[in-house]
Amino acid sequence: SVEQIHSLSFTRIRQEKLLRAGACYIFCQLDGKRLKIRYAGDASMIVVGNRGEMLYDGIRKSIADAPRGNNPGKVNSDVFYLKNKDRVVVASDGLWENILIEEALPIIRNFPIDVAIKKLSELAEKGMTAPMNNGAYGNKDNLSIVIYEMLPVI
């Protein structure tokens, strides 16, 4: 279960004495068109409708609820009902902290999934090395992207 994985993450962090580390995750389970979402930390997801609009904003910027150090954190839950052609994008902070959502939405909606993932990856990688407004560089973090499109359910 998600709760067991969450607990094991915390246990492993403590066993390895990785007190500055954290375990961020997002778990999505699809049952028909019902999407059950479980998460902790800053792993995030959005749902984009067939006209390119953001229908679900699950972008998280905090790791406060992630299991880390001496804090076991907590599992958060949400439910969203998908429509045909909605696209679910699950990604690490390596994406969301290096590109703007306004840049991502047209790419997610207007390209085949494999091309969209490639374009988002390239933008994020560029953002990881580009100077930010404050003179610092982007978030050089891990980069994971998964896109799923809801096809008609009979």
Side-chain angles (χ1 to χ4, degrees):
S1 76
V2 174
E3 287 79 9
Q4 289 172 318
I5 293 169
H6 186 95
S7 178
L8 287 172
S9 297
F10 179 62
T11 301
R12 180 69 184 259
I13 288 167
R14 299 215 17 133
Q15 286 173 343
E16 300 290 327
K17 296 182 174 50
L18 302 171
L19 300 182
R20 291 181 176 225
C24 300
Y25 63 86
I26 189 158
F27 171 82
C28 300
Q29 179 182 9
L30 190 59
D31 182 13
K33 292 188 178 187
R34 180 178 182 259
L35 183 65
K36 184 177 181 182
I37 307 152
R38 309 290 295 274
Y39 61 91
D42 58 358
S44 300
M45 67 157 281
I46 62 171
V47 176
V48 179
N50 65 5
R51 290 186 297 274
E53 72 280 22
M54 186 160 50
L55 302 174
Y56 177 89
D57 181 353
I59 297 180
R60 294 161 181 79
K61 298 288 186 182
S62 172
I63 61 167
D65 56 3
R68 66 189 192 293
N70 292 319
N71 179 1
K74 67 176 186 163
V75 178
N76 299 287
S77 299
D78 206 354
V79 172
F80 184 83
Y81 291 88
L82 298 170
K83 296 182 182 107
N84 292 342
K85 299 294 186 179
D86 284 352
R87 286 191 172 180
V88 177
V89 181
V90 179
S92 65
D93 56 347
L95 177 67
W96 302 121
E97 291 183 5
N98 288 297
I99 69 169
L100 299 172
I101 192 69
E102 294 81 11
E103 294 176 287
L105 290 176
I107 293 170
I108 294 164
R109 185 70 264 157
N110 296 324
F111 290 94
I113 290 173
D114 60 330
V115 175
I117 291 173
K118 183 170 179 26
K119 286 182 174 289
L120 292 170
S121 297
E122 289 169 352
L123 273 176
E125 289 171 2
K126 183 178 174 185
M128 289 180 188
T129 58
M132 305 301 268
N133 291 337
N134 64 2
Y137 285 87
N139 180 4
K140 296 178 180 128
D141 205 337
N142 59 53
L143 179 59
S144 301
I145 305 169
V146 176
I147 300 177
Y148 169 81
E149 183 172 312
M150 184 70 203
L151 299 176
V153 176
I154 300 174

